[in-house]
Amino acid sequence: MVRPWLGPTERAVLDVAADRAPGVPALLGDVGHDDRARRVYAREALVARRHLAAVGPLFESLAGPEPDQDHWDREFGWDDGVRNHISRLVTGSGLQPWWRFPGHRGTPPVPESVPVLLRHCGHQVPRVRALALTLLGPAADPEHLGVLTAAAGDLDADTRQAALVTLGRLDHPAARDALADVLTEPSRSLGDREIAAVMLGRAGDRRAFETLVLLLNHRDAHRNASAADALARLGDPRTARAAATLATNRLRIAYALAAVRLLGRMRAPESLPALTSTLTWLLDEDRTAYQAAAGCVEELGRLGDARAVPVLTRAAGDPRLRAAAVDSLGRIGGPEVLGTLLEAASDEDPDVRGAAARGLARYEDEPRATAALAESCAPPYPRRIVRALVRSGDPVAAPVLAAVRDGAPSAATRRLAGRFRPDPPRTATP
């Protein structure tokens, strides 16, 4: 029997589960060991045991000198490994960037670890301070305002930004005032202003509006997306007009995708005119800003307004936009869209054919749509198409549904096809 190779992480988890791991004192002694395998084994075993007495020693190992590293450590970062071990020990989950889950406040630490985190918020090593503030964030309390505001002016950028994120997660007027002051302090970096503005926007504080609008058209895609999400949550009546202005700015069209997405999300009166005019201009003059054009096409489909049909029909003639345009036309529906969908149902591109099928599935009482769906229904027999054929009751669908009933890989799809009952008065005209 060949036994699989187990690294220190796997061995630690299995040993703890089988109660074969060394005792806590021995593991704590190996946290800063020179051998990488023993270090990782000790940290993983302590995390698996959720032994909170190890939080302090792990912080001290993070504060200590960087050990000799092998290639793996140099590639992925020694301190990132220690940081994630501490996070998993304190909160039960790994670290995530503050902007990745905008609606998620983070996993709070276990209450017993809060005093340890507060003690390390003033540690002399910057990376220790930053990590302690980050982990404290979801459990921050108004009593911690003094610590947080002091850390928000720290010389270390990571510490400052961790403190600002924690202030943003603290639902308190004094915390919001501290964030608003960051927006007007001339010495603050762009990263500090971004975090303060986004956190204020998520809290519904309109003092962040001007800064968020500036970030909405920034070159960095992450900053654009964070600002767009914060503006959508802010609820300021000026947002739609500002987003429309940015989306129609031809000189900045390469960075307008976030503004385009925001217009579709808001569904404001300015959304449709701004998106249609931008897409029309892109189709006429600038075929290099593909992301902005594709965003306009997708958001017009989500708006579902029939006034966008002419420009989307034009976009369907562009090979790069054809699949997205056909999908948006299918979302809008209506008699003026049916011809384009029927033509796209026989396209060479499978993505275009799939988009056309999704749109035609909404025409349950249209014989031509049913005939096109029956012709395009092939393994693995998408359930959306099968459902549309069953609901149509058109006899032209009977042979196809018989094949689905006998050969579909999904039992649920086979049962669905078995519900078909033809309606004799119906006629399917190709």
Side-chain angles (χ1 to χ4, degrees):
M1 178 179 178
V2 178
R3 295 183 180 275
W5 178 85
L6 297 179
T9 299
E10 294 82 1
R11 287 191 291 107
V13 174
L14 291 175
D15 287 351
V16 170
D19 200 21
R20 292 196 303 264
V24 172
L27 293 173
L28 291 176
D30 284 345
V31 162
H33 200 277
D34 292 338
D35 182 61
R36 174 187 171 274
R38 292 185 64 172
R39 291 197 307 269
V40 175
Y41 180 93
R43 296 199 302 253
E44 286 289 346
L46 291 168
V47 170
R49 288 186 172 183
R50 295 301 298 271
H51 194 79
L52 294 178
V55 176
L58 284 176
F59 267 120
E60 293 308 314
S61 70
L62 181 63
E66 190 169 329
D68 294 335
Q69 302 180 72
D70 57 17
H71 173 72
W72 188 92
D73 276 328
R74 286 194 299 272
E75 182 178 356
F76 293 99
W78 160 78
D79 57 341
D80 283 345
V82 182
R83 282 158 46 90
N84 271 287
H85 281 104
I86 297 174
S87 176
R88 288 166 51 202
L89 181 60
V90 171
T91 67
S93 62
L95 290 171
Q96 295 291 346
W98 65 270
W99 43 263
R100 179 166 293 179
F101 302 107
H104 184 47
R105 292 179 58 86
T107 305
V110 293
E112 295 82 2
S113 67
V114 172
V116 181
L117 296 176
L118 285 171
R119 188 166 64 250
H120 285 87
C121 285
H123 200 278
Q124 60 181 354
V125 177
R127 59 173 172 248
V128 173
R129 297 197 299 269
L131 178 60
L133 289 163
T134 300
L135 297 177
L136 178 66
D141 188 87
E143 297 179 357
H144 307 150
L145 273 171
V147 175
L148 298 178
T149 52
D154 198 279
L155 295 177
D156 178 64
D158 292 338
T159 302
R160 287 198 312 271
Q161 294 177 8
L164 292 173
V165 172
T166 303
L167 282 170
R169 288 172 170 166
L170 181 60
D171 187 15
H172 193 274
R176 291 192 289 273
D177 290 341
L179 292 174
D181 291 340
V182 172
L183 301 179
T184 57
E185 292 178 11
S187 60
R188 289 289 183 171
S189 66
L190 179 61
D192 293 353
R193 296 174 192 272
E194 176 197 5
I195 294 175
V198 170
M199 289 301 175
L200 285 173
R202 292 176 184 175
D205 193 316
R206 294 186 179 179
R207 287 177 287 185
F209 176 77
E210 288 80 6
T211 304
L212 289 175
V213 170
L214 292 175
L215 292 171
L216 183 62
N217 203 229
H218 196 269
R219 292 173 180 266
D220 191 318
H222 292 312
R223 286 192 168 121
N224 293 351
S226 298
D229 178 80
L231 283 168
R233 295 168 182 267
L234 183 61
D236 194 297
R238 300 169 291 175
T239 300
R241 186 167 62 252
T245 301
L246 294 175
T248 53
N249 186 344
R250 301 185 179 187
L251 298 178
R252 301 284 296 177
I253 193 62
Y255 315 110
L257 181 59
V260 166
R261 299 292 188 196
L262 180 58
L263 285 171
R265 179 176 176 178
M266 295 185 66
R267 307 181 72 88
E270 296 88 347
S271 298
L272 181 69
L275 293 175
T276 52
S277 64
T278 298
L279 182 57
T280 301
W281 171 72
L282 290 172
L283 293 173
D284 287 340
E285 300 182 24
D286 189 349
R287 297 184 179 272
T288 60
Y290 166 71
Q291 286 188 334
C296 289
V297 168
E298 293 169 5
E299 297 306 325
L300 286 172
R302 293 190 178 99
L303 291 177
D305 196 311
R307 290 175 291 178
V309 168
V311 69
L312 288 175
T313 304
R314 282 192 58 199
D318 189 320
R320 299 181 303 170
L321 301 173
R322 184 165 174 75
V326 170
D327 185 74
S328 293
L329 288 170
R331 288 171 178 263
I332 295 173
E336 63 275 13
V337 172
L338 181 59
T340 304
L341 296 179
L342 291 172
E343 178 186 355
S346 57
D347 197 273
E348 297 179 356
D349 189 341
D351 292 335
V352 176
R353 294 198 303 270
R358 290 191 294 271
L360 290 171
R362 297 181 172 91
Y363 292 81
E364 296 178 2
D365 297 326
E366 173 56 55
R368 289 178 294 171
T370 304
L373 287 175
E375 185 176 350
S376 64
C377 189
Y381 303 114
R383 195 171 303 177
R384 182 195 299 266
I385 298 178
V386 173
R387 184 180 295 110
L389 292 174
V390 170
R391 289 178 177 176
S392 71
D394 198 318
V396 76
V400 176
L401 292 175
V404 174
R405 189 171 57 249
D406 296 336
S410 169
T413 304
R414 295 196 297 270
R415 288 194 299 269
L416 178 62
R419 299 174 189 169
F420 176 68
R421 298 294 181 268
D423 184 10
R426 292 286 307 271
T427 58
T429 304

